Amino acid sequence: MQNEKLKEMKECFIEKFGETGEIRSYFAPGRVNLIGEHTDYNGGHVFPCALTIGTYMLARKREDSKLRFYSMNFEKIGVVESSLDELNPKQDENWTAYPKGVMWTFQQKGHAIDNGFDILLYGNIPNGSGLSSSASVELVTGVMLRDMFGYNDLTNIDLSLYGQYSENNYNGVNCGIMDQFAIAMGKKEHAIFLDTNSLTYQYAPVKLEDAEIVIACSNKKRGLGDSKYNERREECETALAEIQKVKNVPNLGALTSEEFEEVKDAIKNPVRQKHARHAVYENERTVRAVTLLLNNEIEAFGRLMNESHTSLRDDYEVTGIELDTLVEQAWKCEGVIGSRMTGAGFGGCTVSIVKTEAIDNFIKTVGEAYEKKIGYKADFYVVNIGDGPQRLE
């Protein structure tokens, strides 16, 4: 499958850009977060894994500073042309803002980008699904630039930080580190238990005997920048500042639930207090969940996934009717170990752990109930946990 797609991409690349010069190919995965949502910008823990679906890039250096981009996912846009001299933070439109943001970041960090590129992309991550198609594009660009210019001193963790810097400062989305880190540090059949405050991490094997991870894409499109994502982040920062007047604490992720209950009245707005409570309790759930998974207590892990969704729905208020319908229908299905929204919310995807023999019925039952209630179809993907970004030979 991968070789066939790369062959098709190469034919498309030659058709759009010509066949001279060395064309190199790269891949970066998407990611799904098993538990630990909206904790990453609050200094808490997350538990994501890289997927075997992601973004493929073909790239060729140019002799000049021109940049030419083409995406097989956005054929109607056609070839987008610009230049290294025209990188405009928070001004660039369409999907090319993500690779251009990483090029700009390399320059900001003192890594010269002296040549333009012809670049072709194809991704098999559903757009706007919450599986980090944007971070996947950032990381595949970072791996390409490191390889093309020989910046071998840059680690994958460096590239993840560059991706986050790019999204924060070039694209204007105040995202945390989780998406980029999970993609950069992906390891087959393992999830990553990451402390987002210190960037210390450990791999935890995901052994789902007779069960699979199933992604349900709501097909409600959303963009991080125009969602309430930035608003939630600002509310958490305000809540933290209020707590810091009565308790010396570096971030919400440093609080236990007991400590939070003692100081929560310092948060004057009741809605803001609810949102901060989610950040604290979700962090605790994530720490507990990893221990359960390491002990192979999958059923108990699933219950924490369910609790996570309830908190995201009732306390953090980021789910919406589409995600709630997918999860609540999943909870009714036999063979579902756990189900929750994943990603920023307001659309996007749910992640469920489903017993293998129940998957067909799960997709049919949840799919029919969703279409009946929402009016359009959801898409379902049975996914595998894969490795991080790489150059493809």
Side-chain angles (χ1 to χ4, degrees), residues 44-56:
H45 294 79
V46 292
F47 195 51
C49 53
L51 301 173
T52 50
I53 56 175
T55 307
Y56 294 87

Side-chain angles (χ1 to χ4, degrees), residues 133-234:
S133 53
S134 57
S136 182
V137 171
E138 289 157 11
L139 264 295
V140 80
T141 306
V143 168
M144 181 275 288
L145 293 173
R146 177 175 66 186
D147 178 59
M148 287 282 197
F149 292 106
Y151 291 132
N152 299 323
D153 56 323
L154 291 176
T155 67
N156 278 16
I157 292 179
D158 292 329
L159 295 183
S160 73
L161 290 165
Y162 283 18
Q164 183 197 17
Y165 184 91
S166 157
E167 195 149 338
N168 291 170
N169 297 288
Y170 197 89
N171 301 101
V173 176
N174 211 2
C175 68
I177 187 61
M178 175 182 67
D179 296 353
Q180 291 83 1
F181 194 98
I183 290 167
M185 302 303 289
K187 183 178 178 182
K188 188 178 180 182
E189 295 175 357
H190 288 72
I192 305 166
F193 181 48
L194 170 66
D195 180 337
T196 62
N197 188 47
S198 64
L199 293 192
T200 54
Y201 66 97
Q202 71 181 91
Y203 289 108
V206 180
K207 296 173 187 162
L208 300 177
E209 290 165 15
D210 305 320
E212 307 276 349
I213 297 171
V214 183
I215 306 290
C217 180
S218 69
N219 287 322
K220 183 193 178 186
K221 294 290 185 276
R222 58 155 191 82
L224 284 183
D226 56 24
S227 75
K228 294 186 178 178
Y229 180 93
N230 287 348
E231 185 184 300
R232 286 291 182 281
R233 182 161 183 165
E234 286 162 13

Side-chain angles (χ1 to χ4, degrees), residues 34-36 46-47 193 204-205 282-298 300-305 308 340:
L34 298 176
I35 193 165
V46 292
F47 195 51
F193 181 48
E282 179 78 349
N283 184 49
E284 276 198 352
R285 264 190 295 276
T286 307
V287 175
R288 286 212 313 279
V290 176
T291 303
L292 292 172
L293 198 62
L294 289 170
N295 292 332
N296 215 24
E297 296 179 52
I298 304 296
F301 182 89
R303 287 193 291 274
L304 288 181
M305 290 175 71
S308 169
R340 60 184 286 276

Side-chain angles (χ1 to χ4, degrees), residues 71-143:
S71 170
M72 293 173 71
N73 299 91
F74 300 108
E75 291 176 350
K76 287 181 182 171
I77 295 177
V79 175
V80 180
E81 291 201 16
S82 62
S83 159
L84 288 170
D85 309 317
E86 299 168 6
L87 299 178
N88 294 310
K90 302 183 186 175
Q91 304 298 317
D92 270 319
E93 299 294 329
N94 71 51
W95 69 269
T96 64
Y98 292 100
K100 283 154 85 175
V102 176
M103 293 173 189
W104 174 84
T105 297
F106 265 67
Q107 293 175 333
Q108 295 294 305
K109 301 291 186 183
H111 299 287
I113 306 293
D114 298 324
N115 303 75
F117 289 95
D118 295 327
I119 287 173
L120 181 139
L121 258 76
Y122 165 74
N124 54 4
I125 306 170
N127 292 317
S129 63
L131 300 181
S132 288
S133 53
S134 57
S136 182
V137 171
E138 289 157 11
L139 264 295
V140 80
T141 306
V143 168

